[in-house]
Amino acid sequence: MSQKVLAFDKKTLTGNITVPGDKSISHRAVMFGSLAEGKTKITNFLAGEDCLSTIGAFQAMGVSIRREENTVFIDSDGINGLKEPVQPIDLGNSGTTARLLIGILAGLPYHFTLYGDDSLSKRPMDRIANPLREMGAKIDGRENGRLLPIAVRGGHLSPIDFKPPVKSAQVKSGVLLAGLLTEGVTTVEEVTKTRDHTENMLKAFGANISVEGTKVKITGNKNLSGCDIEVPGDISSAAFFLVAAAITEGSHITIENVGLNPTRTGIIDVLKMMGVSINVIEKRTIGGEPIGDITVKASQSKAAIIEGDIIPRIIDEIPIIALLATQAEGKTIIKDAEELRFKETDRIESVVTTLSKLGATITGTKDGMIIEGNTQLHGGVTESYGDHRIGMMIAIASLLTDDKIELHDDECIAISYPTFFEDLHSLISN
Ligand code: S3P
């Protein structure tokens, strides 16, 4: 396991950068391009480990996929051309690959076995397996089919009207993808709208899908056609630098070409609510997704109560928001975020343990955390616990102290942001 000593001489961030392509959109582009007949070209693809797991899964089913750095070329015979893989499919650390892929495999008349790394093997798969079983798929695995490794025997599904008990775009997407491969109309109705990249992109590939408020309807159709997808910059990656600039004196940065899908921009709303000086310029729409530039200046932030419907729109940004809260004036309370317990780590526990080690006053609750502001952080020995977003939160925390922070297991950052340290160095070297 590799480790890094974090000690930056200069702590002011200035200049402009772009961040790598969006993880959620990169996954979907590979999946839908593989299901579609003909050629699909994906530009600004995120070549992080999670999205490479998705490529590997479809190559194992016989799809021709070639990658040249951040461009991916897919040439597929469509759904009917997919083959039964000879070997078990390795999902690595990727929850998105797991949940969406299980939905697709449920609709294919083959047998599949899926496994992942230690973290993914602890994450619940019943949330997707249960509705698919209701549609007729045979899914089994450890702990009564709740955990990986999982075996799927798919095909011959019936449509369902599904109301997900958890607020999860992965679950919604997995059921919609099974619906795509099922004759008839499948509906998914959410309580709170989660990220809608599946809905947007399936339309671009020619699926018959309609959205009315929080209700999505898809009609089974095995004839998608390949198309070109340009992936916007990932706002969840940008979030680390948005907060870094907000909390370090004299900073002023712009992140260009960031995806601004409204189901993902909760971080902008939270930064505004906490008094951070932030400006967003929307520029254009690519493949149904708005993109633009975000400028942030160092600011004295103030505490906030963060709860309710905004939570799914910031679910991946809560670790870095917690770091911001240690610098804000007052006590920040985060509620309604029990889903954090089912991420790459239990992120309530890993954020609380890590920030406490660095001097923060932070308490975990059943569904969130309570964070005291105006805290001087200090150095210490930390670890990512194999969670990329915890690793990046620690790196940004090191801008707040002159002490050294040891970060153990830093390489997991490559799961979502392989060039994170290069981009951080480029912003502090201006
Ligand atoms: C994702 C959905 C979210 C998010 C994950 C990516 C997706 O997970 O945390 O990083 O691409 O659909 P849940 O759907 O489990 O909330």
Side-chain angles (χ1 to χ4, degrees), residues 23-24 28 96 127 167-170 195 315-316 343:
K23 181 157 82 68
S24 294
R28 287 160 172 81
T96 307
R127 49 181 53 201
K167 293 171 189 166
S168 164
Q170 294 176 353
R195 66 190 67 189
I315 194 70
D316 293 336
K343 298 297 173 188

Side-chain angles (χ1 to χ4, degrees), residues 143-160:
E143 289 194 10
N144 288 321
R146 195 177 79 82
L147 298 177
L148 291 169
I150 272 184
V152 180
R153 181 167 287 284
H156 305 298
L157 304 183
S158 317
I160 49 167

